[in-house]
C-alpha cells in the first residue's frame, strides 16, 4: 500500500466530487473535460471539409452544448442565506482575536469569517473534509488549514478502551517549490504533490526534556497510542530531474509540542453534513449536479438539431467512389460535389425538427426536477416579502432541515478547531476547557416585528410573562437589535429608558377614569402624574398624546 492510496469509500466518491466542482465552476470547466460529461457519438470523427481543413465533428457538437447556470448561483444564494448575519466568534482572549485575522497563516490573509465560508461551502457541496490545526514555530502560534474532499487519503483507527480514536491520517497537499524552476522560464515554479502523514507513534523520537515534560518516566496514561508526529512524502526525482510516481519520505520527522509537551491526540477536526465524523456521505448537491449535467447533454442534441433545421438539409449520396467521397466544394450557401460516376446521386433530406419538441419537453421536465430538489428553499426566500415568516417556516420546515443540519455541523467543527487553536497557546489542560464558541445563522427566514408586536412583547415582559433575557433573545433573533449589542448593554439602555410599559399603562388608566367622571380636578391631577412619569422620556409623552 502506497502513501498516496485512497480508502475504497473515498475512491468511489472522487468522480462525484470532481463533477460537483466542475459544474460549480461553470460551462468552461465542464467543456474542458470533453467526453467526460458529453459522450462522443458514433460518426463524430475528424473529416476533411470543403476547404481542405480537418473538421472535428465532436468539437462542433461540444460547442453547441449549454450548461444551465443553476448550481453556482444556487450555492451563492445558500451561502448568502447562512452568512446574512456575520458569524459570532467568542474568543477567550485578544491574542486569539488578532491571530484569527489571518487564521491560516497564508498570503493573502484569510479571516475567520472567510475561513468559515470556505468550510461551509465544502460541507454543503461535497459533504466531506477536515480542519487541521498545527503550530508554526516561525509565527509562534497555532493556525488552521482546510483540507477539502479528495485531499483525505485514509484514516486508521485504534481502540482506547471502548472508544475508537484516529491514530493516523494521510492528507494530500499541493505546493510550489521555489528551488525548482523550469529551464526555459526562470519565473515559473514547479507545483509539487505532497502527502502529509499525521499519526500517533509510541516510538516517536523525543528529547530528554520532552520526555520529562510528557511524563513518560512517570507512566502518563494520556498517550495510549503514542506521540503526535508529522512526516512528509514527496515524489522522488529521476536522473533527468523529473518526478516519478514513487513517493518517499521527505525531510525529518516533526513532533509538534505544546509547552514542550508532545500532543497525545491528532488535532484534526472532520466534518460531514450530519456530524463531526469521517463518514462518507452522499454530497448534498449531487442530485442537482446530475440533473444539470443531464440537461447539458440534452442541450447538445437540441441545439445541434436546431442548427441542422436552420441549415435546412442533411446531405447523403450513393454510387460515389470512396476516393471521391469528402471532396466537397462550396457553392454560395450550398455544397457541390464533382463525381466521374454517371450513376452517382446526391440528395438532401429536409428535417422538420419534430424531435426537438421531445428534447425540449425532456429539458422542461429536468428543470422541474431541479426545482423539486432544491428550488423550494430558493422559493421560500423569494416569497418572504409577501408571506409571514411563521407561515414560511411551517411551509418549508422540512426543506431547510438539511441546510440547518449542515450549518449546525459546520459551526461545531469550526468551534472545535478554534478551541484547539486557543488551547495551543493557552493555559487550559484540555481543549474542551477553552471558552470559545462559533455561531452560524440558522434562521433562514428573516422575520420582522411591527411596532405593535414590540409594544406587546415589552408589556408582556413588564407583566413578568417572561424574563428580560427572553425578550433580548427574541429581539436579537428577529434582527431588531444590533448584532454587537450585548445583553448587559441592552438591559442598561432599557432600564434607563424611563417608566415601564406597565407603569405607563396604569397612569393612562387613571387618566381615562378621570375623563370618564368629567372631573376636571381629577384630569389635572392625572395629567400631572403623567407628565411626572414621562418627564425624562418625551417620546413616551408624545406617544400617549
Amino acid at each position: 500500500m502506497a502513501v498516496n492510496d485512497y480508502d475504497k469509500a473515498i475512491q468511489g466518491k472522487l468522480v462525484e466530487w470532481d463533477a460537483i466542482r466542475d459544474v460549480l465552476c461553470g460551462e468552461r470547466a465542464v467543456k474542458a473535460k470533453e467526453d467526460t460529461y458529453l459522450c462522443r457519438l458514433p460518426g463524430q470523427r475528424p473529416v476533411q471539409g470543403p476547404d481542405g481543413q480537418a473538421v472535428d465533428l465532436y468539437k462542433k457538437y461540444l460547442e453547441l452544448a449549454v450548461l444551465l447556470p443553476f448550481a453556482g448561483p444556487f450555492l451563492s444564494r445558500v451561502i448568502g442565506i447562512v452568512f446574512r448575519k456575520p458569524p459570532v466568534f467568542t474568543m477567550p482572549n485578544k491574542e486569539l482575536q488578532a491571530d484569527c485575522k489571518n487564521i491560516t497563516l497564508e498570503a493573502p490573509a484569510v479571516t475567520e469569517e472567510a475561513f468559515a465560508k470556505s468550510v461551509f461551502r465544502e460541507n454543503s457541496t461535497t459533504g466531506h473534509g477536515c480542519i487541521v490545526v498545527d503550530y508554526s514555530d516561525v509565527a509562534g502560534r497555532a493556525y488552521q488549514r482546510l483540507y477539502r474532499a479528495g485531499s483525505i487519503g485514509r484514516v486508521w483507527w485504534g481502540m482506547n478502551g471502548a472508544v475508537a480514536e484516529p491514530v493516523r491520517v494521510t492528507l494530500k497537499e499541493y505546493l510550489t517549490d521555489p528551488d525548482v524552476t523550469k529551464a526555459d522560464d526562470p519565473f515559473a515554479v514547479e507545483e509539487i504533490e505532497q502527502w502529509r502523514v499525521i499519526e500517533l507513534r509510541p516510538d516517536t523520537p523525543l528529547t530528554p526534556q520532552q520526555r520529562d515534560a510528557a511524563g513518560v518516566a512517570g507512566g502518563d496514561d494520556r498517550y495510549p497510542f503514542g506521540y503526535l508526529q508529522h512526516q512528509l512524502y514527496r515524489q522522488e526525482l529521476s536522473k533527468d530531474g523529473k518526478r516519478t510516481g514513487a513517493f518517499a519520505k521527505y525531510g525529518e520527522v516533526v513532533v509538534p509540542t505544546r509547552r514542550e509537551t508532545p500532543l497525545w491526540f491528532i488535532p484534526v477536526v472532520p466534518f460531514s453534513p450530519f456530524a463531526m465524523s469521517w463518514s462518507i456521505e452522499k454530497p448534498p448537491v449531487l442530485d442537482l449536479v446530475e440533473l444539470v449535467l443531464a440537461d447539458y447533454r440534452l442541450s447538445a442534441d437540441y441545439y445541434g438539431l436546431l442548427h441542422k433545421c436552420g441549415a435546412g438539409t442533411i446531405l447523403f449520396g450513393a454510387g460515389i467512389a470512396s476516393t471521391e467521397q469528402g471532396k466537397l466544394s462550396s457553392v454560395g450557401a450550398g455544397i457541390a460535389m464533382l463525381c466521374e460516376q454517371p450513376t452517382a446521386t446526391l440528395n438532401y433530406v429536409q428535417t422538420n425538427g419534430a424531435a426537438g419538441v421531445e428534447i425540449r419537453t425532456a429539458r422542461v421536465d429536468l428543470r422541474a426536477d431541479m426545482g423539486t430538489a432544491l428550488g423550494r428553499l430558493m422559493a421560500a426566500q423569494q416569497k418572504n416579502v409577501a408571506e409571514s415568516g411563521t407561515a414560511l417556516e411551517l411551509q418549508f420546515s422540512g426543506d431547510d432541515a438539511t441546510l440547518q443540519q449542515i450549518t449546525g455541523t459546520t459551526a461545531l467543527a469550526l468551534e472545535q478547531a478554534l478551541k484547539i487553536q486557543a488551547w495551543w497557546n493557552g493555559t487550559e489542560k484540555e481543549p474542551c476547557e477553552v471558552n470559545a464558541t462559533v455561531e452560524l445563522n440558522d434562521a433562514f427566514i428573516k422575520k420582522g416585528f411591527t411596532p405593535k408586536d414590540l409594544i406587546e412583547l415589552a408589556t408582556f415582559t413588564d407583566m413578568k410573562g417572561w424574563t428580560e433575557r427572553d425578550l433580548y433573545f427574541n429581539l436579537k433573533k428577529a434582527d431588531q437589535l444590533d448584532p454587537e449589542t450585548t445583553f448587559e448593554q441592552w438591559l442598561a439602555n432599557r432600564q434607563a429608558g424611563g417608566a415601564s410599559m406597565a407603569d405607563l399603562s396604569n397612569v393612562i388608566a387613571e387618566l381615562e377614569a378621570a375623563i370618564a367622571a368629567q372631573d376636571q380636578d381629577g384630569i389635572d391631577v392625572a395629567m400631572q402624574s403623567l407628565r411626572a412619569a414621562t418627564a425624562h422620556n418625551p417620546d413616551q409623552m408624545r406617544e400617549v398624546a
Side-chain angles (χ1 to χ4, degrees):
M1 180 182 297
V3 67
N4 60 328
D5 286 342
Y6 285 101
D7 183 88
K8 289 183 178 180
I10 294 177
Q11 185 72 44
K13 289 290 183 181
L14 294 178
V15 174
E16 294 180 358
W17 294 336
D18 287 342
I20 290 171
R21 293 194 176 101
D22 290 338
V23 170
L24 291 175
C25 285
E27 185 173 298
R28 292 192 177 185
V30 172
K31 287 187 174 180
K33 298 292 185 69
E34 295 190 347
D35 54 359
T36 299
Y37 303 115
L38 184 63
C39 297
R40 185 184 292 266
L41 300 179
Q44 288 181 341
R45 60 186 184 278
V47 297
Q48 185 178 3
D51 54 358
Q53 298 294 325
V55 178
D56 190 343
L57 298 179
Y58 175 76
K59 294 291 186 181
K60 297 295 183 181
Y61 180 64
L62 182 67
E63 288 176 2
L64 292 172
V66 175
L67 185 75
L68 189 66
F70 189 90
F74 173 80
L75 178 61
S76 299
R77 184 66 180 273
V78 168
I79 294 176
I81 291 171
V82 174
F83 290 88
R84 173 174 59 86
K85 295 191 296 185
V88 179
F89 297 87
T90 302
M91 310 286 190
N93 50 62
K94 293 183 178 180
E95 289 75 16
L96 183 61
Q97 292 179 357
D99 292 346
C100 286
K101 298 304 178 183
N102 187 7
I103 199 170
T104 62
L105 280 182
E106 294 177 316
V110 178
T111 65
E112 67 271 29
E113 182 174 348
F115 186 74
K117 288 183 178 179
S118 298
V119 176
F120 175 80
R121 178 187 175 91
E122 193 66 26
N123 201 15
S124 61
T125 53
T126 63
H128 187 63
C130 67
I131 304 172
V132 175
V133 185
D134 200 1
Y135 189 87
S136 170
D137 292 329
V138 176
R141 69 173 180 87
Y143 62 93
Q144 301 181 35
R145 291 286 171 86
L146 169 63
Y147 286 77
R148 306 177 189 276
S151 298
I152 303 171
R154 288 178 177 270
V155 180
W156 283 258
W157 297 87
M159 295 302 297
N160 184 11
V163 179
E165 297 182 13
V167 296
R168 180 191 297 162
V169 180
T170 58
L171 302 169
K172 182 171 68 173
E173 305 172 342
Y174 286 99
L175 69 156
T176 54
D177 190 344
D179 299 327
V180 181
T181 60
K182 297 181 179 179
D184 57 345
D185 188 354
F187 299 100
V189 294
E190 180 186 8
E191 187 178 65
I192 301 172
E193 179 182 332
Q194 167 179 286
W195 283 80
R196 179 181 301 272
V197 179
I198 306 177
E199 60 182 334
L200 299 173
R201 293 182 62 91
D203 57 346
T204 299
L206 303 176
T207 64
Q209 293 81 2
Q210 290 174 341
R211 295 181 65 87
D212 292 340
V216 175
D220 194 332
D221 60 357
R222 290 188 303 170
Y223 299 87
F225 305 110
Y227 313 98
L228 180 71
Q229 73 170 40
H230 287 231
Q231 176 67 65
L232 299 179
Y233 287 77
R234 289 188 185 177
Q235 290 177 309
E236 297 176 327
L237 289 173
S238 59
K239 294 182 179 179
D240 57 358
K242 296 182 178 179
R243 296 192 178 274
T244 64
F247 283 81
K249 290 182 178 180
Y250 176 82
E252 301 295 330
V253 173
V254 176
V255 181
T257 60
R258 187 246 190 187
R259 298 181 175 273
E260 299 183 353
T261 303
L263 274 64
W264 63 93
F265 66 96
I266 294 181
V268 179
V269 182
F271 56 82
S272 74
F274 303 105
M276 284 194 307
S277 71
W278 296 100
S279 61
I280 310 299
E281 305 290 348
K282 177 183 175 181
V285 298
L286 180 61
D287 290 340
L288 175 64
V289 166
E290 290 180 340
L291 289 170
V292 170
L293 288 175
D295 179 82
Y296 169 73
R297 289 185 284 269
L298 280 179
S299 72
D301 296 329
Y302 181 69
Y303 291 111
L305 182 60
L306 290 181
H307 176 73
K308 292 176 181 178
C309 290
T313 58
I314 298 177
L315 183 68
F316 77 96
I320 303 174
S322 59
T323 56
E324 297 175 324
Q325 294 179 10
K327 297 180 179 179
L328 306 176
S329 300
S330 298
V331 180
I335 297 176
M337 175 182 286
L338 300 179
C339 181
E340 298 179 358
Q341 301 294 330
T343 59
T345 60
L346 195 63
N347 299 290
Y348 293 93
V349 175
Q350 182 73 31
T351 61
N352 59 11
V357 176
E358 298 179 359
I359 298 176
R360 188 168 184 271
T361 301
R363 295 188 69 198
V364 171
D365 292 340
L366 281 175
R367 296 186 184 189
D369 292 339
M370 295 178 199
T372 301
L374 293 173
R376 291 189 68 187
L377 182 58
M378 297 280 288
Q381 301 307 315
Q382 294 168 355
K383 288 182 179 180
N384 64 2
V385 296
E387 296 186 31
S388 68
T390 303
L392 286 172
E393 283 190 332
L394 292 175
Q395 183 178 355
F396 296 102
S397 59
D399 294 64
D400 59 21
T402 300
L403 183 56
Q404 287 176 344
Q405 188 73 35
I406 295 172
T407 303
T409 56
T410 301
L412 288 175
L414 291 168
E415 181 176 303
Q416 180 62 24
L418 188 63
K419 285 178 179 288
I420 297 175
Q421 180 182 354
W423 164 84
W424 215 310
N425 278 17
T427 59
E428 295 83 359
K429 186 177 180 180
E430 303 282 349
C432 61
E433 298 176 1
V434 176
N435 181 25
T437 61
V438 177
E439 297 179 17
L440 298 182
N441 170 44
D442 60 357
F444 306 131
I445 307 298
K446 186 175 181 179
K447 296 182 294 184
F449 286 160
T450 65
K452 180 181 178 182
D453 294 334
L454 294 174
I455 293 175
E456 291 178 353
L457 288 176
T459 303
F460 185 63
T461 303
D462 292 335
M463 298 298 291
K464 309 305 180 184
W466 59 14
T467 65
E468 299 284 356
R469 191 173 290 275
D470 291 331
L471 177 59
Y472 167 79
F473 174 78
N474 282 274
L475 292 176
K476 198 86 177 277
K477 187 176 181 181
D479 295 336
Q480 300 300 313
L481 296 178
D482 187 293
E484 302 297 327
T485 302
T486 65
F487 171 72
E488 289 74 17
Q489 293 171 338
W490 172 84
L491 184 60
N493 292 335
R494 174 168 159 75
Q495 291 175 343
S500 67
M501 293 301 298
D503 294 338
L504 188 58
S505 298
N506 293 334
V507 174
I508 294 174
E510 294 176 2
L511 177 59
E512 291 176 343
I515 294 175
Q518 296 184 353
D519 184 348
Q520 189 61 43
D521 294 337
I523 293 175
D524 294 338
V525 172
M527 289 300 295
Q528 290 175 5
S529 301
L530 178 60
R531 291 190 184 94
T534 60
H536 57 291
N537 195 332
D539 291 336
Q540 287 184 347
M541 186 61 193
R542 286 194 297 269
E543 190 174 357
V544 172

